[in-house]
Amino acid sequence: MVQAVPHAYSRHVYIFADELYLGSGCPATRVQTYEYEFIYSVHDCGIRTQVVSEDTLLFQTELYYNPRSIHRNCHKIPLECSVSRKSVWLIPVSTENEIKLDPSPFIADFETTPEELGLLNSN
């Protein structure tokens, strides 16, 4: 997760969410007045992973500022984050051994007809 504050300190300029992109063009996933969040898998957006040691991984990407105004310059801000391989934030992704949930007991006996839902006219 990357968090960005939407104003430039040097010029007191507000930066709009559509002016910032993570890595290979990924827009903010959550936009608030005073903060933008970019929440993506480490395999998305061109994020690069490097094994630094047996226990440490390094993630690298960039935050791109592409202003609406032609009077402002574009910027590329390099980002790095090192993390332990044992971190609880690194969750293995697997499609083979997906967790299969039992059907909810609250819905098991629930049945209805389209007429009861008002989806069809019973003419």
Side-chain angles (χ1 to χ4, degrees):
M1 174 172 68
V2 173
Q3 295 175 320
V5 178
H7 58 84
Y9 292 104
S10 60
R11 295 186 182 172
H12 304 287
V13 174
Y14 189 83
I15 298 171
F16 294 94
D18 64 346
E19 296 176 311
L20 291 177
Y21 292 94
L22 183 68
S24 60
C26 296
T29 54
R30 184 172 182 204
V31 177
Q32 297 181 349
T33 306
Y34 300 105
E35 180 180 83
Y36 302 145
E37 292 181 358
F38 299 83
I39 303 173
Y40 290 95
S41 167
V42 296
H43 304 289
D44 295 336
C45 307
I47 297 172
R48 299 172 303 282
T49 304
Q50 181 180 354
V51 178
V52 176
S53 70
E54 185 177 315
D55 298 326
T56 306
L57 296 174
L58 178 68
F59 298 106
Q60 298 173 316
T61 190
E62 298 79 24
L63 187 64
Y64 292 94
Y65 170 58
N66 189 10
R68 295 176 182 177
S69 171
I70 60 170
H71 302 293
R72 294 198 188 111
N73 295 326
C74 295
H75 292 281
K76 173 181 162 183
I77 303 156
L79 303 173
E80 287 187 346
C81 176
S82 61
V83 65
S84 167
R85 283 185 150 178
K86 298 175 184 175
S87 171
V88 295
W89 297 105
L90 294 177
I91 300 170
V93 177
S94 173
T95 55
E96 291 179 15
N97 300 322
E98 288 185 18
I99 298 171
K100 304 214 179 356
L101 300 175
D102 293 332
S104 171
F106 300 105
I107 298 180
D109 295 328
F110 180 75
E111 290 185 20
T112 187
T113 64
E115 290 82 10
E116 290 173 320
L117 295 174
L119 298 175
L120 298 173
N121 293 332
S122 56
N123 292 359

